[in-house]
Amino acid sequence: KEVNMETKVDDSAHASLLKANQDHFDEQATKWDDDPEYIKVSRESYSTIMHHLGRFLFSSPPSSSSSSREVDHPTTNVLNFGCGTGLLEAQLRFNVTSITGVDISNGMIDRMRHKIQEESWSNVTALQMDILDNAQTTLLPMEGFDMIISCYTFHHLQDVTAIGRALLKYLKPDGYFCIIDFAAAAATEHHHEHHDHQEVHEHQKRHHAGDKLSEAAKASIGTHDGFSKSFLIDYYQTVLGLENVIVEDATPLYYDGMEYPTIVAYGRRRSGGK
């Protein structure tokens, strides 16, 4: 199903979905890193980011004298929206000056902060926040990031228009905004039956919690089944006002032998743009 870009934020629906996802991911946080599927997803996400946007990042740790970056930014500060326990940060921190992870789950952020302290991730910060909460806007610097990334988070969102526009406030002019997520069936050339993302969530819940699911887990389902190329192009260009937009198929994910197509989209914020 396609997302209605004209939909206004329904505060009650947003609060309800936010609470459901907070409860579910708080419950899963302590065992999240033990799941090989999530570790594999983080590795695929890292590979996708480096393949498409690595030329704008350090090719080696910032302390190294060698760098094959295409652009000569003195710093590369990245915001990861929907960071979870920091599985992506564990890899990407070597390719950036700094990375800030934000998530709505206290449990996930607590796990990430533990890693930051125990493993001395000196260039990583973790913040628990609701990006649509105006009272929390000062937690992040306006136009403070060279790149914003979000991996497998947007399908959870009630209103991607409001979220996208809220995130752009933190992106520098000429900075890049990248989404990796599930693709709609129409966006792929796979000839197998398309399973909507609710089924993926149900698999994850069974994997973690057995047949007896918590109420929070039952409530935490994907809001969108996936995103088509045509939607993301329009979303990036028309809704967010980005330029140099690229939307391509990404590496599929596999759950219990089933293939789930994925998609990557990124675009550049215009100088003096939205």
Side-chain angles (χ1 to χ4, degrees):
K1 61 187 178 184
E2 289 294 318
V3 184
N4 179 7
M5 293 186 293
E6 301 302 320
T7 301
K8 302 295 183 183
V9 175
D10 182 332
D11 289 340
S12 61
H14 171 70
S16 177
L17 185 63
L18 186 77
K19 182 63 164 61
N21 280 288
Q22 281 179 322
D23 290 347
H24 172 61
F25 289 109
D26 282 350
E27 180 183 317
Q28 302 303 323
T30 58
K31 46 195 171 185
W32 194 263
D33 294 349
D34 297 328
D35 192 319
E37 291 179 343
Y38 297 143
I39 294 172
K40 184 177 180 180
V41 168
S42 74
R43 289 173 178 167
E44 293 289 359
S45 297
Y46 173 75
S47 295
T48 298
I49 291 167
M50 294 305 295
H51 174 73
H52 289 276
L53 293 166
R55 63 189 183 277
F56 303 115
L57 303 173
F58 290 107
S59 61
S60 55
S63 59
S64 171
S65 60
S66 65
S67 174
S68 60
R69 290 181 299 158
E70 190 172 286
V71 290
D72 188 22
H73 289 309
T75 60
T76 306
N77 299 310
V78 175
L79 175 65
N80 181 16
F81 174 67
C83 62
T85 63
L87 289 173
L88 181 61
E89 281 76 3
Q91 303 162 83
L92 194 59
R93 64 192 179 94
F94 295 109
N95 305 103
V96 300
T97 306
S98 73
I99 182 165
T100 300
V102 300
D103 203 285
I104 52 92
S105 167
N106 276 306
M108 293 287 184
I109 289 298
D110 285 345
R111 291 290 297 165
M112 184 170 165
R113 286 174 176 163
H114 177 76
K115 295 177 189 177
I116 290 172
Q117 181 176 358
E118 292 297 311
E119 300 176 26
S120 299
W121 294 359
S122 59
N123 64 338
V124 181
T125 304
L127 292 174
Q128 190 279 330
M129 68 178 293
D130 173 7
I131 207 75
L132 293 182
D133 185 349
N134 290 328
Q136 297 186 348
T137 56
T138 57
L139 294 176
L140 296 171
M142 294 295 176
E143 296 189 347
F145 297 95
D146 302 285
M147 188 178 296
I148 296 176
I149 58 178
S150 185
C151 304
Y152 302 102
T153 297
F154 263 62
H155 65 270
H156 291 291
L157 307 178
Q158 183 218 0
D159 190 335
V160 297
T161 296
I163 293 288
R165 288 174 174 167
L167 286 169
L168 283 190
K169 294 185 297 184
Y170 304 109
L171 184 64
K172 294 179 182 179
D174 293 322
Y176 277 83
F177 178 36
C178 175
I179 295 172
I180 303 173
D181 216 307
F182 291 94
T188 74
E189 297 179 356
H190 295 285
H191 300 290
H192 58 73
E193 179 182 359
H194 175 69
H195 301 270
D196 70 31
H197 192 55
Q198 181 173 350
E199 183 173 346
V200 179
H201 274 274
E202 292 304 322
H203 161 74
Q204 293 170 341
K205 295 168 202 168
R206 288 194 300 271
H207 182 74
H208 286 298
D211 294 330
K212 186 176 181 181
L213 304 177
S214 69
E215 291 304 312
K218 292 176 183 177
S220 175
I221 62 173
T223 301
H224 311 296
D225 295 334
F227 302 99
S228 68
K229 289 182 179 179
S230 61
F231 167 75
L232 285 173
I233 290 171
D234 194 39
Y235 174 66
Y236 267 67
Q237 293 178 339
T238 305
V239 176
L240 301 182
L242 301 178
E243 62 182 8
N244 296 358
V245 174
I246 301 293
V247 181
E248 296 181 354
D249 294 334
T251 304
L253 299 181
Y254 294 88
Y255 292 92
D256 286 349
M258 295 190 297
E259 180 180 298
Y260 295 88
T262 68
I263 197 164
V264 56
Y266 56 97
R268 187 174 69 183
R269 184 184 179 190
R270 295 184 177 95
S271 296
K274 294 182 180 180

